[in-house]
Amino acid sequence: MKKNSIAILIAILVNLVIFSSAFAQGEELTLILTKDFGSDGFNGDIQGTFTVKASGPANLERVQFFLDDTLLNEDAEPPFTIQFLTDNYATGAHIFSAVGFTTDGMQIGSKTINAVFVSKEEASATSLKIIVPILVVVFGAMAISKITTSVDVHKGKKLSAGATRSYPFGGGICPKCDRPFGFQLLSLHMFGRKLSSCPHCGKWSVVKEATMGELRAAEQAELDTGKTLIQHVSE
Ligand SMILES: [Zn+2]
């Protein structure tokens, strides 16, 4: 309990020190980086056209914008902004800063903004990095499903027409061959439907989950189709 109070006291003191040092430094320009056109990824990665806006005291007269230690431009009219295209500068980490001048001759520093300029290729590669894993998951699940399906076939699990089966993970009716089958644990859910391969005809479809009644009816329908086939053969 006492330890906690001491920790809180220290935290308050640290905050006071931070606040008082901020006041001691006087006013500081605030910099805001906004995207006009392009991409901004995680970790401060940016590519395209961006604007840095500086704001400060009411008597702010002009602002010099710096990229690293190089003067980019000076704006003598509010709003104090600078627009730039990342492609015009070297890729990698950069620091934005600004210096403001007031009507009464004061010079004001600014907070800094860190950004990493990336090339167009890198920017699109970043989006690919997000898309590719999703595709890997989709195709991976399809592959696993396919393997289990063929394993079932090899095991001789192929069901005869009309056979009553269990559907531990739900089941659906194949839109291609109209035969019912149980879903696999690893099949993909898509808006209440499953992307699944049919163990009877082997075709992939997005199958709606069927009710137990529908599944049993489809089993019966298999039997009828089977009978029709036999009848055709015997005729
Ligand atoms: Zn089928």
Side-chain angles (χ1 to χ4, degrees):
M1 198 58 192
K2 200 162 187 191
K3 248 184 186 173
N4 272 344
S5 331
I6 292 166
I8 291 164
L9 197 69
I10 289 169
I12 292 167
L13 282 175
V14 167
N15 277 331
L16 281 176
V17 170
I18 292 166
F19 271 112
S20 50
S21 66
F23 278 117
Q25 274 172 9
E27 222 147 349
E28 223 179 20
L29 296 182
T30 306
L31 295 186
I32 301 166
L33 177 72
T34 52
K35 177 178 72 178
D36 300 317
F37 183 79
S39 58
D40 47 351
F42 309 109
N43 322 318
D45 286 8
I46 61 170
Q47 189 280 319
T49 308
F50 287 76
T51 295
V52 175
K53 187 183 171 190
S55 47
N59 63 346
L60 190 63
E61 196 178 36
R62 60 192 169 95
V63 173
Q64 289 178 340
F65 291 93
F66 293 86
L67 178 64
D68 304 319
D69 289 325
T70 313
L71 176 67
L72 282 181
N73 210 347
E74 186 176 298
D75 196 349
E77 258 177 61
F80 303 101
T81 61
I82 184 176
Q83 196 185 48
F84 65 95
L85 178 65
T86 60
D87 298 350
N88 292 341
Y89 305 93
T91 57
H94 291 283
I95 299 166
F96 288 100
S97 61
V99 175
F101 300 88
T102 59
T103 46
D104 55 5
M106 289 278 288
Q107 195 171 320
I108 308 164
S110 78
K111 291 185 167 61
T112 57
I113 292 175
N114 295 301
V116 179
F117 290 10
V118 295
S119 64
K120 263 184 190 155
E121 291 73 25
E122 281 175 304
S124 40
T126 309
S127 348
L128 269 180
K129 272 181 211 158
I130 299 161
I131 295 163
V132 168
I134 295 169
L135 291 178
V136 168
V137 169
V138 170
F139 287 112
M142 281 174 83
I144 290 164
S145 222
K146 194 83 193 164
I147 291 161
T148 32
T149 307
S150 41
V151 166
D152 284 349
V153 171
H154 284 299
K155 275 184 190 162
K157 268 191 185 171
K158 207 147 191 162
L159 284 156
S160 54
T164 307
R165 58 214 79 161
S166 61
Y167 306 94
F169 307 115
I173 296 154
C174 171
K176 305 265 163 54
C177 69
D178 293 328
R179 296 184 67 180
F181 63 89
F183 288 139
Q184 278 153 0
L185 181 60
L186 287 166
S187 57
L188 286 173
H189 291 261
M190 292 169 85
F191 310 109
R193 285 147 200 273
K194 291 247 192 181
L195 177 65
S196 192
S197 72
C198 168
H200 309 298
C201 67
K203 281 170 188 149
W204 281 92
S205 12
V206 177
V207 186
K208 204 182 108 199
E209 181 150 14
T211 63
M212 218 50 208
E214 287 168 338
L215 291 167
R216 293 289 177 232
E219 284 171 9
Q220 276 304 308
E222 267 183 10
L223 213 55
D224 296 341
T225 321
K227 271 179 192 158
T228 325
L229 280 173
I230 294 159
Q231 277 167 5
H232 276 295
V233 171
S234 55
E235 266 168 18

